[in-house]
Amino acid sequence: MLPGVFRLRLPLPWPGVPHCNAWAVAAADGCVLFDTGMHQPDSLPHLERALAMCDLSLEQVRLVVCTHAHSDHYGQAATIVERAGCELWMHPAHGHLTRMAEDPDAVFERRMEIARQSGVPAEPLRRYATERRSRESGIAGVIEPDRDLLDGVTIDTALGAWTVHETPGHAPSHVCLFQPERRLMISGDHLLGRISLYFDYGFTPDPVGEFLHSLDVVEKLNARLCLPGHGRTFSDVYAHIDGNRKLVRERLERVLDAVAQTPLSAFEVVPHVYGDSLSPSNTHWLLSKVLCYLTHLQAVGDVRRIPGEPERWTA
Ligand SMILES: [Zn+2]
Ligand SMILES: [Zn+2]
């Protein structure tokens, strides 16, 4: 695609999201690796094969940079850092994932508590619990970043320096990387080729508000080409930013319409926004999003939380 930039397409075990991208950018007789792919039984040979197709080896990775601490972007960091003897750079607000990896039971209990409080009935809750416990974390090991990726930090590559731009919302630890001379942006999951929203619930005051602000941040960069965390590169960056804003607005309107008629639990709001698509494998995903929309509507004064078991929301 571009001399010195390689897309490593790595497999994921998730329905509807079959791949993620790691980006290898030429640097000092090797490369800087942006994102890592998930840790799975065959994930390391996959990564090594993908690197070999670009005439690179794991030992030539000079630095690992994670756009955010989700398992598909950070999962193999520990293994790569160990094999390559390089550093890991990542945003310091990575507790949303590293805490889970260190104490999965505590985080799972908290999730179940949120689900119960959000009105998920006993039977789907039990099925969700069974499904969830059988799943692997996707993380090879928990390692702390050697350097914090905060606004203003730069990453040197053969294509020039990349600047860090904090873009929380999808995850508290999310950053985008921008190469100003070539106007390239490594956008992680902040901007994807196919517009798809997700927000981590429960770690920051208003993830949706943070995400909207982060869209303003990347809009100002005026990138020419986006290298996303999933799917193909795209050049109509502004259209993607605008598309994200529109979809957020549309979701917020649906949530508000639903609770304007009668007070509802977050669980009861889900079908108003997503139809009948709640299943054990997406309960956490959809509930997180709805709770983030409700939290945002509360922050801007459009809805109110009614405490109780379950807690309900009203306009
Ligand atoms: Zn993500
Ligand atoms: Zn991702």
Side-chain angles (χ1 to χ4, degrees):
M1 49 167 281
L2 277 168
V5 179
F6 307 97
R7 176 186 174 199
L8 312 179
R9 201 159 164 263
L10 305 170
L12 289 176
W14 299 335
V17 193
H19 296 98
C20 61
N21 297 327
W23 298 93
V25 178
D29 289 331
C31 68
V32 174
L33 187 64
F34 295 86
D35 289 338
T36 69
M38 194 173 173
H39 172 69
Q40 298 175 81
D42 281 334
S43 58
L44 198 62
H46 266 294
L47 177 64
E48 292 195 277
R49 264 198 304 277
L51 283 165
M53 278 157 61
C54 315
D55 277 329
L56 289 164
S57 71
L58 211 53
E59 287 69 26
Q60 285 177 289
V61 175
R62 305 294 176 226
L63 173 67
V64 174
V65 172
C66 290
T67 58
H68 61 298
H70 278 166
S71 59
D72 48 333
H73 301 260
Y74 165 82
Q76 302 202 83
T79 320
I80 301 165
V81 160
E82 156 108 33
R83 280 275 302 272
C86 68
E87 291 194 344
L88 164 70
W89 294 8
M90 184 166 72
H91 193 275
H94 52 71
H96 61 96
L97 180 100
T98 46
R99 221 179 307 151
M100 177 172 80
E102 279 161 355
D103 192 351
D105 287 344
V107 173
F108 185 75
E109 279 314 313
R110 174 86 191 112
R111 279 188 181 182
M112 292 293 283
E113 183 47 41
I114 290 172
R116 234 186 324 264
Q117 198 180 34
S118 303
V120 179
E123 185 42 38
L125 203 63
R126 208 158 24 238
R127 265 183 288 139
Y128 169 53
T130 323
E131 168 108 354
R132 200 66 212 185
R133 280 202 203 282
S134 64
R135 236 191 269 174
E136 301 288 334
S137 72
I139 299 153
V142 174
I143 50 165
E144 292 280 325
D146 297 286
R147 179 143 188 212
D148 288 341
L149 290 184
L150 299 168
D151 279 342
V153 171
T154 57
I155 296 149
D156 290 322
T157 68
L159 273 73
W162 298 68
T163 54
V164 173
H165 301 270
E166 297 177 57
T167 49
H170 171 80
S173 56
H174 205 292
V175 299
C176 290
L177 297 312
F178 182 61
Q179 208 300 310
E181 287 80 27
R182 295 166 200 265
R183 291 168 53 210
L184 299 175
M185 179 158 64
I186 293 176
S187 60
D189 288 351
H190 182 54
L191 291 183
L192 294 165
R194 189 169 59 91
I195 294 173
S196 145
L197 300 170
Y198 175 74
F199 315 102
D200 272 328
Y201 173 73
F203 302 97
T204 57
D206 177 12
V208 171
E210 290 150 29
F211 177 72
L212 291 172
H213 178 260
S214 296
L215 290 176
D216 297 344
V217 168
V218 294
E219 183 178 11
K220 289 197 190 90
L221 298 176
N222 193 21
R224 180 177 63 79
L225 186 70
C226 216
L227 285 49
H230 304 263
R232 295 200 199 122
T233 60
F234 54 92
S235 56
D236 49 346
V237 181
Y238 180 75
H240 279 75
I241 293 170
D242 207 39
N244 274 281
R245 285 191 186 120
K246 281 203 184 104
L247 188 58
V248 170
R249 220 176 307 140
E250 191 190 300
R251 298 294 198 227
L252 287 170
E253 275 165 21
R254 283 210 212 172
V255 172
L256 187 56
D257 281 351
V259 298
Q261 289 158 29
T262 176
L264 297 173
S265 69
F267 177 74
E268 290 165 333
V269 172
V270 171
H272 291 268
V273 185
Y274 301 104
D276 283 333
S277 46
L278 202 67
S279 73
S281 58
N282 68 16
T283 300
H284 173 67
W285 174 267
L286 294 182
L287 257 193
S288 281
K289 292 204 276 188
V290 165
L291 284 165
C292 287
Y293 291 129
L294 287 164
T295 303
H296 182 68
L297 289 168
Q298 185 182 38
V300 298
D302 285 342
V303 306
R304 192 163 54 81
R305 187 194 301 252
I306 309 168
E309 284 287 333
E311 72 182 6
R312 291 202 160 80
W313 301 78
T314 185

